[in-house]
Amino acid sequence: MKNFDNTFFTYVVIEIVKTIPYGRATSYGAIAKAAGFPNMSRMVGKVLSNCDSATNNIPAHRVVNSKGELSGRESFGSSHEMEHLLAKEGIIVCYNKIKNWAKVFWDPISEIQL
DNA sequence: GGCGTGACTATGG
DNA sequence: ACCATAGCCACGC
C-alpha cells in the first residue's frame, strides 16, 4: 500500500496546468501547493515530463521553476521549442529565463478561491 | 534499508 | 546576483 496516490496527483496536476491562462506562467512549487502537496514540486516536474503535452494539448511550457527559468526545455522537441511556444504567447525569454517574471507569474491559488 | 537522481525550493553568505 | 547547503520525496538499483 502506497502512501502516495500517483494517479490522483497526476490528474490534479494536469487539471491545474490546463487552467493556466494564455500568456501567463507558473511554477512547479505553486502547482504542488495548489494541488495540496506543498512538498511535491519535483513530482510535478516528473508528471509533466511524462504527460506528452503536444499530443494531449497540455500547456506544459507555461510551467517553469520558481525563478522563471525554463528548466524543462530539454523535454520538448527541440531545445528551443519551449521558448518558442512561450514567445508565441508574448512571453519574452532571455538567457533561458522569463522576462518580467513577477508580472507573468500566475498563482493557481488566487484563481481557486471561489 | 542505503544511495543517487531529478522539468524543485527556501535560505544564508 | 551567484553559489552552497539543506530540505523535500518517489523511484530504481
Side-chain angles (χ1 to χ4, degrees):
Chain A
M1 164 96 175
K2 301 173 72 173
N3 57 357
F4 176 66
D5 188 338
N6 189 50
T7 302
F8 173 71
F9 181 74
T10 299
Y11 172 79
V12 176
V13 167
I14 296 301
E15 288 305 303
I16 292 174
V17 171
K18 284 181 176 174
T19 70
I20 304 172
Y22 183 95
R24 304 291 295 283
T26 190
S27 71
Y28 304 97
I31 291 171
K33 191 175 165 190
F37 299 89
N39 303 313
M40 294 295 189
S41 48
R42 308 185 89 118
M43 299 301 110
V44 173
K46 182 184 284 285
V47 167
L48 293 180
S49 68
N50 295 322
C51 75
D52 197 353
S53 57
T55 302
N56 299 310
N57 201 31
I58 298 168
H61 58 285
R62 298 186 188 136
V63 186
V64 297
N65 70 19
S66 64
K67 292 179 277 192
E69 296 167 335
L70 282 51
S71 44
R73 78 189 147 106
E74 294 302 331
S75 293
F76 287 77
S78 74
S79 57
H80 295 297
E81 178 65 10
M82 186 176 184
E83 176 177 346
H84 178 65
L85 291 170
L86 290 170
K88 277 201 304 185
E89 307 188 2
I91 297 176
I92 302 168
V93 176
C94 193
Y95 295 104
N96 204 39
K97 213 158 85 180
I98 292 179
K99 282 289 182 187
N100 301 315
W101 175 227
K103 299 279 186 184
V104 175
F105 178 73
W106 177 82
D107 186 358
I109 299 281
S110 64
E111 291 295 309
I112 290 174
Q113 303 283 342
L114 301 179

